[in-house]
Amino acid sequence: MPLIIKDEYPEKLFRKDGKRLDGREINELRPIKMDVGVIKNADGSAYLEWGNNKIIAAVYGPREVHPHHLAKPDRGILRVFYRMATFSVFDRKRPAPGRREKEISMIIADCIEPLLFLELYPGTSFEVFIEVMDADGGTRCASTTVAALALADAGVPMKSLVSAVAVGKIDGKIIVDLSGIEDKAGDADLPIAITWYNEEISLLQFDGNMDLEEMNKFLDLAYEALKNIHQIQLDTLKSKYVKLQEETSNPNHKNDNKGE
Ligand code: CDP
């Protein structure tokens, strides 16, 4: 069997037909699949497959704060724990949370906190646990997106959802939703998130070079992609309630569950 060195970058990130290596157009998202209510023991949860990324988010709260000294008498607190499984990347990732995981947990919390009414929950906490089981570029954006969905699934009052995506630049072309290889080999990478209640940017990181004109193009492309991602989040939440409604209006529903 030939030895495959996964981290060797291909020389070209575009095919001869102008498409990206995975066959996408420059403004095309990877396939996205979401689900909610996937963890029985959590107050709310969500699952996301975004290209090769597989991420689960589970939410608890409002509940007692541990350790107690973190509790605030006048408001609730939000704690986010982004973790990447050891088996989620080609190299063995150290199991202990590293600096990158702490940074990503912090930026996700910064994206989500403005959505919540923490002042209504003094002395309590909301905790969001995010596990990246398979990683292939853009996990901070995917994790932000799935965390918002899990909070909504938990019935936590929110001003809106937040959606996130990374845009980038390769060979002078601006592309949407970078895969792992595009993230590593590209010239620029800009993760961006929008909170929908005010359509404001709540995350904007940047790695690489670009001029102002390119920045405007980045933002336009990101906005179009974010609208699509938001729609998938909304459809996923709605489908949960449609399913519930169907189950409760089906007279055989109780019989269907007999024997469980
Ligand atoms: O995942 P995201 O793009 O938000 O963050 P990153 O730090 O820019 O990482 C980009 C990609 O590198 C990840 O999605 C993983 O596919 C990969 N990665 C890895 O292979 N090993 C790590 N320890 C961390 C990231």
Side-chain angles (χ1 to χ4, degrees), residues 15-50:
R15 306 189 319 199
K16 280 198 184 125
D17 61 6
K19 291 190 175 170
R20 293 150 74 176
L21 290 182
D22 54 13
R24 281 185 292 154
E25 304 289 347
I26 52 170
N27 60 350
E28 196 175 335
L29 289 164
R30 291 173 285 181
I32 296 179
K33 214 169 83 185
M34 301 184 194
D35 199 1
V36 286
V38 292
I39 304 286
K40 180 170 68 70
N41 291 324
D43 293 328
S45 57
Y47 173 69
L48 171 63
E49 272 181 31
W50 183 329

mmCIF file of all heavy atoms in Angstrom, residues 15-50:
data_model
loop_
_atom_site.group_PDB
_atom_site.id
_atom_site.type_symbol
_atom_site.label_atom_id
_atom_site.label_comp_id
_atom_site.label_asym_id
_atom_site.label_seq_id
_atom_site.Cartn_x
_atom_site.Cartn_y
_atom_site.Cartn_z
ATOM 1 N N ARG A 15 -8.898 22.772 -10.053
ATOM 2 C CA ARG A 15 -8.776 21.806 -11.132
ATOM 3 C C ARG A 15 -8.690 22.551 -12.458
ATOM 4 O O ARG A 15 -8.900 23.761 -12.512
ATOM 5 C CB ARG A 15 -10.005 20.883 -11.150
ATOM 6 C CG ARG A 15 -10.250 20.214 -9.818
ATOM 7 C CD ARG A 15 -11.303 19.147 -9.862
ATOM 8 N NE ARG A 15 -12.479 19.449 -10.657
ATOM 9 C CZ ARG A 15 -13.653 18.813 -10.533
ATOM 10 N NH1 ARG A 15 -13.791 17.872 -9.610
ATOM 11 N NH2 ARG A 15 -14.670 19.092 -11.298
ATOM 12 N N LYS A 16 -8.420 21.780 -13.538
ATOM 13 C CA LYS A 16 -8.306 22.422 -14.861
ATOM 14 C C LYS A 16 -9.605 23.106 -15.266
ATOM 15 O O LYS A 16 -9.614 24.114 -15.952
ATOM 16 C CB LYS A 16 -7.929 21.378 -15.913
ATOM 17 C CG LYS A 16 -6.456 21.049 -15.897
ATOM 18 C CD LYS A 16 -6.053 20.367 -17.196
ATOM 19 C CE LYS A 16 -4.591 19.975 -17.107
ATOM 20 N NZ LYS A 16 -4.385 18.559 -17.365
ATOM 21 N N ASP A 17 -10.745 22.530 -14.833
ATOM 22 C CA ASP A 17 -12.038 23.123 -15.211
ATOM 23 C C ASP A 17 -12.402 24.333 -14.336
ATOM 24 O O ASP A 17 -13.510 24.856 -14.421
ATOM 25 C CB ASP A 17 -13.159 22.065 -15.153
ATOM 26 C CG ASP A 17 -13.332 21.472 -13.743
ATOM 27 O OD1 ASP A 17 -12.668 21.961 -12.802
ATOM 28 O OD2 ASP A 17 -14.128 20.530 -13.592
ATOM 29 N N GLY A 18 -11.468 24.759 -13.490
ATOM 30 C CA GLY A 18 -11.696 25.966 -12.679
ATOM 31 C C GLY A 18 -12.358 25.685 -11.343
ATOM 32 O O GLY A 18 -12.482 26.567 -10.506
ATOM 33 N N LYS A 19 -12.806 24.424 -11.177
ATOM 34 C CA LYS A 19 -13.467 24.098 -9.904
ATOM 35 C C LYS A 19 -12.424 23.774 -8.842
ATOM 36 O O LYS A 19 -11.259 23.516 -9.149
ATOM 37 C CB LYS A 19 -14.411 22.913 -10.099
ATOM 38 C CG LYS A 19 -15.590 23.298 -10.955
ATOM 39 C CD LYS A 19 -16.636 22.235 -10.958
ATOM 40 C CE LYS A 19 -17.845 22.735 -11.737
ATOM 41 N NZ LYS A 19 -18.816 21.724 -11.995
ATOM 42 N N ARG A 20 -12.888 23.760 -7.611
ATOM 43 C CA ARG A 20 -11.980 23.436 -6.508
ATOM 44 C C ARG A 20 -11.716 21.925 -6.479
ATOM 45 O O ARG A 20 -12.412 21.153 -7.139
ATOM 46 C CB ARG A 20 -12.607 23.934 -5.196
ATOM 47 C CG ARG A 20 -12.651 25.448 -5.184
ATOM 48 C CD ARG A 20 -13.793 25.994 -4.390
ATOM 49 N NE ARG A 20 -13.574 25.866 -2.972
ATOM 50 C CZ ARG A 20 -14.418 26.353 -2.053
ATOM 51 N NH1 ARG A 20 -15.517 26.987 -2.416
ATOM 52 N NH2 ARG A 20 -14.164 26.215 -0.783
ATOM 53 N N LEU A 21 -10.746 21.499 -5.691
ATOM 54 C CA LEU A 21 -10.350 20.082 -5.716
ATOM 55 C C LEU A 21 -11.503 19.142 -5.403
ATOM 56 O O LEU A 21 -11.583 18.039 -5.923
ATOM 57 C CB LEU A 21 -9.204 19.836 -4.734
ATOM 58 C CG LEU A 21 -7.865 20.447 -5.142
ATOM 59 C CD1 LEU A 21 -6.801 20.096 -4.116
ATOM 60 C CD2 LEU A 21 -7.443 19.989 -6.533
ATOM 61 N N ASP A 22 -12.434 19.611 -4.551
ATOM 62 C CA ASP A 22 -13.574 18.742 -4.232
ATOM 63 C C ASP A 22 -14.759 18.977 -5.175
ATOM 64 O O ASP A 22 -15.869 18.523 -4.915
ATOM 65 C CB ASP A 22 -13.996 18.907 -2.761
ATOM 66 C CG ASP A 22 -14.286 20.368 -2.393
ATOM 67 O OD1 ASP A 22 -14.403 21.194 -3.308
ATOM 68 O OD2 ASP A 22 -14.386 20.664 -1.187
ATOM 69 N N GLY A 23 -14.515 19.695 -6.275
ATOM 70 C CA GLY A 23 -15.550 19.874 -7.301
ATOM 71 C C GLY A 23 -16.461 21.059 -7.066
ATOM 72 O O GLY A 23 -17.403 21.293 -7.825
ATOM 73 N N ARG A 24 -16.186 21.844 -6.026
ATOM 74 C CA ARG A 24 -17.080 22.978 -5.741
ATOM 75 C C ARG A 24 -16.724 24.214 -6.559
ATOM 76 O O ARG A 24 -15.581 24.426 -6.926
ATOM 77 C CB ARG A 24 -16.981 23.346 -4.258
ATOM 78 C CG ARG A 24 -17.770 22.448 -3.366
ATOM 79 C CD ARG A 24 -17.733 22.940 -1.945
ATOM 80 N NE ARG A 24 -16.435 22.834 -1.316
ATOM 81 C CZ ARG A 24 -16.024 23.599 -0.312
ATOM 82 N NH1 ARG A 24 -16.796 24.561 0.141
ATOM 83 N NH2 ARG A 24 -14.833 23.419 0.237
ATOM 84 N N GLU A 25 -17.750 25.045 -6.767
ATOM 85 C CA GLU A 25 -17.520 26.387 -7.329
ATOM 86 C C GLU A 25 -16.938 27.257 -6.213
ATOM 87 O O GLU A 25 -17.030 26.905 -5.036
ATOM 88 C CB GLU A 25 -18.851 27.010 -7.801
ATOM 89 C CG GLU A 25 -19.639 26.201 -8.805
ATOM 90 C CD GLU A 25 -18.991 26.161 -10.177
ATOM 91 O OE1 GLU A 25 -18.055 26.958 -10.414
ATOM 92 O OE2 GLU A 25 -19.403 25.320 -10.994
ATOM 93 N N ILE A 26 -16.428 28.437 -6.596
ATOM 94 C CA ILE A 26 -15.777 29.262 -5.573
ATOM 95 C C ILE A 26 -16.736 29.720 -4.469
ATOM 96 O O ILE A 26 -16.325 29.913 -3.336
ATOM 97 C CB ILE A 26 -15.060 30.495 -6.174
ATOM 98 C CG1 ILE A 26 -15.984 31.286 -7.077
ATOM 99 C CG2 ILE A 26 -13.792 30.123 -6.892
ATOM 100 C CD1 ILE A 26 -15.395 32.607 -7.495
ATOM 101 N N ASN A 27 -18.034 29.850 -4.820
ATOM 102 C CA ASN A 27 -18.981 30.347 -3.810
ATOM 103 C C ASN A 27 -19.871 29.238 -3.240
ATOM 104 O O ASN A 27 -20.922 29.513 -2.684
ATOM 105 C CB ASN A 27 -19.847 31.455 -4.404
ATOM 106 C CG ASN A 27 -20.654 30.968 -5.588
ATOM 107 O OD1 ASN A 27 -20.419 29.859 -6.073
ATOM 108 N ND2 ASN A 27 -21.586 31.769 -6.041
ATOM 109 N N GLU A 28 -19.450 28.009 -3.411
ATOM 110 C CA GLU A 28 -20.312 26.878 -3.028
ATOM 111 C C GLU A 28 -19.915 26.334 -1.655
ATOM 112 O O GLU A 28 -18.736 26.104 -1.376
ATOM 113 C CB GLU A 28 -20.164 25.774 -4.083
ATOM 114 C CG GLU A 28 -21.250 24.742 -4.041
ATOM 115 C CD GLU A 28 -21.113 23.738 -5.205
ATOM 116 O OE1 GLU A 28 -20.518 24.063 -6.264
ATOM 117 O OE2 GLU A 28 -21.591 22.605 -5.012
ATOM 118 N N LEU A 29 -20.933 26.113 -0.832
ATOM 119 C CA LEU A 29 -20.702 25.514 0.486
ATOM 120 C C LEU A 29 -20.522 24.004 0.340
ATOM 121 O O LEU A 29 -21.045 23.397 -0.605
ATOM 122 C CB LEU A 29 -21.914 25.755 1.387
ATOM 123 C CG LEU A 29 -22.151 27.170 1.893
ATOM 124 C CD1 LEU A 29 -23.578 27.304 2.424
ATOM 125 C CD2 LEU A 29 -21.142 27.514 2.980
ATOM 126 N N ARG A 30 -19.851 23.406 1.296
ATOM 127 C CA ARG A 30 -19.835 21.948 1.352
ATOM 128 C C ARG A 30 -21.234 21.461 1.768
ATOM 129 O O ARG A 30 -21.996 22.253 2.355
ATOM 130 C CB ARG A 30 -18.786 21.481 2.377
ATOM 131 C CG ARG A 30 -17.375 21.744 1.929
ATOM 132 C CD ARG A 30 -16.369 21.446 3.018
ATOM 133 N NE ARG A 30 -16.351 22.468 4.049
ATOM 134 C CZ ARG A 30 -15.543 22.459 5.118
ATOM 135 N NH1 ARG A 30 -14.705 21.454 5.280
ATOM 136 N NH2 ARG A 30 -15.571 23.429 6.005
ATOM 137 N N PRO A 31 -21.565 20.190 1.528
ATOM 138 C CA PRO A 31 -22.888 19.707 1.973
ATOM 139 C C PRO A 31 -23.024 19.856 3.487
ATOM 140 O O PRO A 31 -22.081 19.566 4.226
ATOM 141 C CB PRO A 31 -22.885 18.227 1.575
ATOM 142 C CG PRO A 31 -21.808 18.093 0.561
ATOM 143 C CD PRO A 31 -20.791 19.150 0.838
ATOM 144 N N ILE A 32 -24.202 20.327 3.912
ATOM 145 C CA ILE A 32 -24.435 20.565 5.345
ATOM 146 C C ILE A 32 -25.680 19.790 5.784
ATOM 147 O O ILE A 32 -26.724 19.842 5.123
ATOM 148 C CB ILE A 32 -24.657 22.068 5.627
ATOM 149 C CG1 ILE A 32 -23.388 22.849 5.296
ATOM 150 C CG2 ILE A 32 -25.048 22.301 7.094
ATOM 151 C CD1 ILE A 32 -23.503 24.351 5.521
ATOM 152 N N LYS A 33 -25.550 19.069 6.885
ATOM 153 C CA LYS A 33 -26.679 18.308 7.442
ATOM 154 C C LYS A 33 -26.750 18.595 8.934
ATOM 155 O O LYS A 33 -25.725 18.536 9.608
ATOM 156 C CB LYS A 33 -26.397 16.811 7.233
ATOM 157 C CG LYS A 33 -27.603 15.965 6.983
ATOM 158 C CD LYS A 33 -27.214 14.577 6.537
ATOM 159 C CE LYS A 33 -26.878 13.686 7.711
ATOM 160 N NZ LYS A 33 -26.372 12.362 7.303
ATOM 161 N N MET A 34 -27.930 18.958 9.418
ATOM 162 C CA MET A 34 -28.046 19.255 10.847
ATOM 163 C C MET A 34 -29.190 18.451 11.448
ATOM 164 O O MET A 34 -30.144 18.085 10.761
ATOM 165 C CB MET A 34 -28.363 20.739 11.066
ATOM 166 C CG MET A 34 -27.345 21.687 10.491
ATOM 167 S SD MET A 34 -27.764 23.386 10.923
ATOM 168 C CE MET A 34 -26.704 24.280 9.788
ATOM 169 N N ASP A 35 -29.086 18.234 12.750
ATOM 170 C CA ASP A 35 -30.159 17.550 13.478
ATOM 171 C C ASP A 35 -30.185 18.118 14.896
ATOM 172 O O ASP A 35 -29.172 18.644 15.364
ATOM 173 C CB ASP A 35 -29.876 16.042 13.508
ATOM 174 C CG ASP A 35 -31.123 15.230 13.814
ATOM 175 O OD1 ASP A 35 -32.208 15.833 13.975
ATOM 176 O OD2 ASP A 35 -31.014 13.993 13.907
ATOM 177 N N VAL A 36 -31.328 18.014 15.558
ATOM 178 C CA VAL A 36 -31.408 18.486 16.948
ATOM 179 C C VAL A 36 -31.963 17.378 17.834
ATOM 180 O O VAL A 36 -32.539 16.403 17.347
ATOM 181 C CB VAL A 36 -32.295 19.752 17.097
ATOM 182 C CG1 VAL A 36 -31.588 20.976 16.567
ATOM 183 C CG2 VAL A 36 -33.647 19.558 16.444
ATOM 184 N N GLY A 37 -31.757 17.541 19.163
ATOM 185 C CA GLY A 37 -32.292 16.557 20.109
ATOM 186 C C GLY A 37 -31.599 15.220 20.012
ATOM 187 O O GLY A 37 -32.235 14.178 20.123
ATOM 188 N N VAL A 38 -30.300 15.249 19.825
ATOM 189 C CA VAL A 38 -29.577 13.995 19.593
ATOM 190 C C VAL A 38 -28.983 13.405 20.869
ATOM 191 O O VAL A 38 -28.557 12.259 20.880
ATOM 192 C CB VAL A 38 -28.441 14.202 18.551
ATOM 193 C CG1 VAL A 38 -29.007 14.475 17.178
ATOM 194 C CG2 VAL A 38 -27.523 15.338 18.973
ATOM 195 N N ILE A 39 -28.949 14.178 21.952
ATOM 196 C CA ILE A 39 -28.378 13.696 23.222
ATOM 197 C C ILE A 39 -29.487 13.670 24.278
ATOM 198 O O ILE A 39 -29.998 14.721 24.662
ATOM 199 C CB ILE A 39 -27.233 14.629 23.715
ATOM 200 C CG1 ILE A 39 -26.152 14.770 22.657
ATOM 201 C CG2 ILE A 39 -26.655 14.140 25.047
ATOM 202 C CD1 ILE A 39 -25.280 13.572 22.496
ATOM 203 N N LYS A 40 -29.837 12.477 24.724
ATOM 204 C CA LYS A 40 -30.971 12.314 25.635
ATOM 205 C C LYS A 40 -30.745 13.015 26.976
ATOM 206 O O LYS A 40 -31.658 13.554 27.573
ATOM 207 C CB LYS A 40 -31.197 10.807 25.831
ATOM 208 C CG LYS A 40 -32.325 10.411 26.744
ATOM 209 C CD LYS A 40 -32.597 8.918 26.655
ATOM 210 C CE LYS A 40 -31.469 8.068 27.213
ATOM 211 N NZ LYS A 40 -31.302 8.108 28.654
ATOM 212 N N ASN A 41 -29.518 12.995 27.462
ATOM 213 C CA ASN A 41 -29.251 13.502 28.813
ATOM 214 C C ASN A 41 -28.984 14.998 28.880
ATOM 215 O O ASN A 41 -28.717 15.521 29.965
ATOM 216 C CB ASN A 41 -28.070 12.748 29.434
ATOM 217 C CG ASN A 41 -28.453 11.314 29.730
ATOM 218 O OD1 ASN A 41 -29.584 11.052 30.117
ATOM 219 N ND2 ASN A 41 -27.544 10.397 29.501
ATOM 220 N N ALA A 42 -29.014 15.670 27.740
ATOM 221 C CA ALA A 42 -28.764 17.122 27.756
ATOM 222 C C ALA A 42 -30.093 17.862 27.689
ATOM 223 O O ALA A 42 -31.112 17.313 27.268
ATOM 224 C CB ALA A 42 -27.893 17.507 26.566
ATOM 225 N N ASP A 43 -30.097 19.139 28.107
ATOM 226 C CA ASP A 43 -31.322 19.942 27.990
ATOM 227 C C ASP A 43 -31.620 20.259 26.523
ATOM 228 O O ASP A 43 -32.767 20.457 26.137
ATOM 229 C CB ASP A 43 -31.158 21.244 28.780
ATOM 230 C CG ASP A 43 -31.064 20.976 30.270
ATOM 231 O OD1 ASP A 43 -31.685 20.001 30.734
ATOM 232 O OD2 ASP A 43 -30.352 21.725 30.969
ATOM 233 N N GLY A 44 -30.559 20.320 25.737
ATOM 234 C CA GLY A 44 -30.720 20.549 24.306
ATOM 235 C C GLY A 44 -29.448 20.112 23.611
ATOM 236 O O GLY A 44 -28.371 20.112 24.219
ATOM 237 N N SER A 45 -29.578 19.732 22.345
ATOM 238 C CA SER A 45 -28.366 19.264 21.656
ATOM 239 C C SER A 45 -28.556 19.387 20.151
ATOM 240 O O SER A 45 -29.678 19.526 19.654
ATOM 241 C CB SER A 45 -28.063 17.814 22.031
ATOM 242 O OG SER A 45 -29.176 17.008 21.728
ATOM 243 N N ALA A 46 -27.449 19.328 19.454
ATOM 244 C CA ALA A 46 -27.509 19.389 17.994
ATOM 245 C C ALA A 46 -26.305 18.679 17.406
ATOM 246 O O ALA A 46 -25.252 18.566 18.045
ATOM 247 C CB ALA A 46 -27.544 20.837 17.529
ATOM 248 N N TYR A 47 -26.504 18.197 16.182
ATOM 249 C CA TYR A 47 -25.439 17.486 15.468
ATOM 250 C C TYR A 47 -25.285 18.143 14.112
ATOM 251 O O TYR A 47 -26.262 18.543 13.481
ATOM 252 C CB TYR A 47 -25.827 16.015 15.307
ATOM 253 C CG TYR A 47 -24.871 15.228 14.451
ATOM 254 C CD1 TYR A 47 -23.580 14.962 14.900
ATOM 255 C CD2 TYR A 47 -25.242 14.768 13.195
ATOM 256 C CE1 TYR A 47 -22.682 14.252 14.110
ATOM 257 C CE2 TYR A 47 -24.365 14.051 12.400
ATOM 258 C CZ TYR A 47 -23.082 13.800 12.860
ATOM 259 O OH TYR A 47 -22.199 13.095 12.082
ATOM 260 N N LEU A 48 -24.052 18.244 13.681
ATOM 261 C CA LEU A 48 -23.779 18.905 12.400
ATOM 262 C C LEU A 48 -22.745 18.119 11.608
ATOM 263 O O LEU A 48 -21.677 17.780 12.132
ATOM 264 C CB LEU A 48 -23.245 20.316 12.677
ATOM 265 C CG LEU A 48 -22.689 21.103 11.498
ATOM 266 C CD1 LEU A 48 -23.750 21.378 10.452
ATOM 267 C CD2 LEU A 48 -22.101 22.420 11.980
ATOM 268 N N GLU A 49 -23.104 17.821 10.362
ATOM 269 C CA GLU A 49 -22.109 17.323 9.413
ATOM 270 C C GLU A 49 -21.937 18.411 8.384
ATOM 271 O O GLU A 49 -22.921 18.826 7.738
ATOM 272 C CB GLU A 49 -22.613 16.049 8.738
ATOM 273 C CG GLU A 49 -22.264 14.799 9.521
ATOM 274 C CD GLU A 49 -22.741 13.536 8.823
ATOM 275 O OE1 GLU A 49 -22.788 13.521 7.572
ATOM 276 O OE2 GLU A 49 -23.079 12.585 9.541
ATOM 277 N N TRP A 50 -20.731 18.898 8.243
ATOM 278 C CA TRP A 50 -20.474 20.004 7.321
ATOM 279 C C TRP A 50 -19.244 19.580 6.536
ATOM 280 O O TRP A 50 -18.132 19.609 7.076
ATOM 281 C CB TRP A 50 -20.236 21.271 8.141
ATOM 282 C CG TRP A 50 -20.024 22.534 7.369
ATOM 283 C CD1 TRP A 50 -19.461 22.664 6.143
ATOM 284 C CD2 TRP A 50 -20.360 23.863 7.797
ATOM 285 N NE1 TRP A 50 -19.426 23.980 5.780
ATOM 286 C CE2 TRP A 50 -19.967 24.727 6.771
ATOM 287 C CE3 TRP A 50 -20.938 24.392 8.942
ATOM 288 C CZ2 TRP A 50 -20.147 26.116 6.854
ATOM 289 C CZ3 TRP A 50 -21.108 25.759 9.022
ATOM 290 C CH2 TRP A 50 -20.720 26.612 7.986
#
